Amino acid sequence: MFKKYRDIALGVILGLLVASGMYMTPQAISADWPKGLPFTPQQLAIIKQTKLALETYQVDGDKKGTIDDAKMYYGAMKGLVSSVGDPFTRFVEPKELEEENLEMEGEYGGLGIYITSREGRTIVIAPIENTPADRVGLKPLDEIVKVDEKNVIGMTSDEVVKLLRGPAGESVTIGVRRKNVEKLLEFKIVREIIKIKTVRLEMLGGQIAYVKINQFNLKTDAELEAVIKTAKARKAKGVLLDLRNNPGGLLNACVDVTSQFINGGVVVGMKGRFEKANDTLYAVEGRATKLPVVALVNEGSASAAEILAGALKDHRRAVIVGTKTFGKGSVQSLFNLPDNSGIYITIARYTTPSGFVIDHKGLEPNVKVAGEITKEKKNDKQLQKGLSILRKEVASKKTKSAK
């Protein structure tokens, strides 16, 4: 019944794509179909009565579009799904689902920001590098409380995303609460068409390849493969892998990327209530680079980024440097419905190869270093610490090979 796993850290989506080849299809209505409904006959009658009362008495009920059967249906579906109290289990209307699928291809209109819901609050997971949200200075764990003049406290992520989106070139003002800052911060941001290049290479001193992965989408594995090939051609001796402010993405892309660093072995486990939600995914053998690796993480590293960091840590393939990660480690499956809408349902939680559950906990780095990403790399404490560790490892490897 489920078509694909998605890892949603939402606002602008993060998903997992693991095909299962099963679809929900329209079924013939049998005589006993009401038995499966979550409502009693009396409750169904009350719903019908409510609709009739709205049509008859609501002051604008005679205006076109006020009483709309489709809006009522989708509103009811969202209420039904949200009643389980899980912000990642959610109903998506057809147009919204189409837009989310487009984002996974790496281009969409907006601010370049990933958000999630926590206890009725809209929290920034991370801004995407070199997007409007990044350039104005939004940070992981910022709480969005206002969009233009609308209070968004208590709204779902989907509702907030609709307010944040709009035509490229138009601006939106958001109000933000930030830890240890007393006043409300306001950011006026001009929307752009967001084109996501997921992997970036920069050669640093000492023949170190600085590789920044911004998220995991359909293009990430191929982009990383090309970047590592270029780095080797430039005589790279080590890889500084930056996963900071990476909100996650497609699970299969994450597993493919991990295969470029780990030669076989467990990447991630999934534990759920039914058999198909319990799975273990493995790195492919024969693809991994042998270059030493140090990985950078922070509180904006979430979901798929945490999976990669956890696999690197548990396999002792890389030293993890930075701060504790976000702690988004649940699996969402997309159930496609006959009208092209869908339901994302949390069906499992991730575990690292050692069995550690990421969700609501976050991954601790091997080396804790506080600090923020800075434009000037010399002022980036986490990056500089990672470089120092990597250079020592490269030097140690060189000494051993010389003996």
Side-chain angles (χ1 to χ4, degrees):
M1 209 159 51
F2 55 89
K3 180 183 176 185
K4 52 180 108 169
Y5 293 143
R6 285 215 174 187
D7 170 25
I8 311 289
L10 201 93
V12 199
I13 206 150
L14 312 176
L16 307 181
L17 200 64
V18 176
S20 69
M22 300 178 73
Y23 296 80
M24 294 187 71
T25 56
Q27 308 214 350
I29 296 175
S30 64
D32 63 347
W33 75 273
K35 293 180 182 178
L37 291 174
F39 310 112
T40 65
Q42 182 184 26
Q43 288 170 332
L44 289 171
I46 290 171
I47 291 172
K48 184 176 181 180
Q49 186 178 356
T50 301
K51 178 178 182 290
L52 181 62
L54 289 170
E55 289 173 334
T56 305
Y57 300 112
Q58 206 282 329
V59 66
D60 295 318
D62 57 343
K63 294 180 181 177
K64 186 177 180 180
T66 300
I67 307 299
D68 185 290
D69 286 352
K71 285 182 181 178
M72 285 185 171
Y73 162 67
Y74 289 135
M77 286 294 291
K78 287 179 180 180
L80 184 69
V81 174
S82 68
S83 69
V84 301
D86 173 12
F88 303 111
T89 293
R90 61 196 182 91
F91 174 80
V92 189
E93 295 179 29
K95 186 166 179 56
E96 293 170 344
L97 187 57
E98 184 181 349
E99 289 172 355
E100 290 184 2
N101 288 330
L102 179 65
E103 287 166 12
M104 278 291 95
E105 296 174 8
E107 182 175 325
Y108 61 91
L111 306 180
I113 183 176
Y114 291 86
I115 64 176
T116 190
S117 293
R118 280 189 173 177
E119 299 175 348
R121 299 181 302 140
T122 301
I123 305 297
V124 174
I125 295 175
I128 302 171
E129 186 180 43
N130 198 31
T131 61
D134 182 42
R135 290 194 291 270
V136 301
L138 283 174
K139 296 180 179 181
L141 302 185
D142 280 347
E143 180 188 355
I144 299 175
V145 297
K146 246 180 28 170
V147 178
D148 288 326
E149 295 304 314
K150 194 172 185 66
N151 187 323
V152 300
I153 296 173
M155 285 189 177
T156 66
S157 294
D158 287 342
E159 290 169 332
V160 176
V161 168
K162 283 182 179 179
L163 296 174
L164 294 174
R165 283 181 178 156
E170 291 189 1
S171 65
V172 61
T173 300
I174 63 175
V176 166
R177 286 180 185 155
R178 180 171 292 168
K179 187 178 179 181
N180 299 325
V181 178
E182 289 186 9
K183 67 176 183 178
L184 185 72
L185 303 176
E186 288 201 345
F187 298 89
K188 186 175 181 179
I189 311 175
V190 179
R191 300 178 180 98
E192 293 180 3
I193 296 297
I194 308 297
K195 295 182 179 180
I196 303 173
K197 185 170 179 60
T198 63
V199 185
R200 177 169 64 84
L201 170 66
E202 183 179 342
M203 294 302 296
L204 305 179
Q207 293 175 286
I208 300 298
Y210 171 77
V211 178
K212 179 76 170 76
I213 301 182
N214 292 309
Q215 74 163 112
F216 297 84
N217 70 15
L218 296 170
K219 302 174 183 177
T220 307
D221 183 50
E223 288 182 5
L224 178 64
E225 190 170 31
V227 156
I228 290 179
K229 185 176 180 180
T230 300
K232 287 180 177 179
R234 296 181 185 178
K235 310 297 182 185
K237 295 180 179 178
V239 175
L240 184 61
L241 183 64
D242 195 345
L243 300 175
R244 294 175 299 175
N245 290 3
N246 180 326
L250 298 172
L251 179 59
N252 60 335
C254 175
V255 173
D256 290 341
V257 164
T258 305
S259 299
Q260 296 197 49
F261 296 106
I262 295 171
N263 189 34
V266 175
V267 175
V268 64
M270 293 183 287
K271 292 185 178 180
R273 288 173 52 206
F274 63 100
E275 185 180 352
K276 287 191 176 181
N278 293 283
D279 201 0
T280 302
L281 304 181
Y282 297 86
V284 176
E285 294 184 3
R287 295 190 67 203
T289 177
K290 294 181 180 179
L291 292 172
V293 180
V294 169
L296 306 178
V297 297
N298 68 357
E299 60 275 10
S301 306
S303 61
E306 293 173 286
I307 291 171
L308 173 54
L312 293 172
K313 181 181 180 182
D314 286 357
H315 285 280
R316 297 185 179 181
R317 179 63 180 90
V319 176
I320 311 299
V321 176
T323 55
K324 187 168 75 170
T325 61
F326 188 84
K328 166 63 178 75
S330 58
V331 184
Q332 280 70 43
S333 176
L334 172 61
F335 290 71
N336 289 98
L337 300 175
D339 63 348
N340 295 320
S341 62
I343 312 171
Y344 289 108
I345 300 178
T346 299
I347 61 167
R349 290 187 171 88
Y350 297 130
T351 60
T352 68
S354 66
F356 177 74
V357 178
I358 296 168
D359 204 37
H360 293 103
K361 295 179 182 178
L363 189 74
E364 293 283 357
N366 298 111
V367 180
K368 292 183 180 180
V369 181
E372 295 184 1
I373 299 173
T374 61
K375 301 298 181 184
E376 294 290 331
K377 287 186 171 54
K378 65 180 180 180
N379 298 325
D380 189 328
K381 294 179 181 178
Q382 294 169 338
L383 186 145
Q384 289 301 321
K385 184 63 176 178
L387 267 178
S388 173
I389 293 170
L390 185 55
R391 283 170 177 159
K392 286 179 182 177
E393 190 171 342
V394 168
S396 173
K397 188 175 180 180
K398 185 176 179 181
T399 301
K400 288 178 183 178
S401 64
K403 289 181 181 180

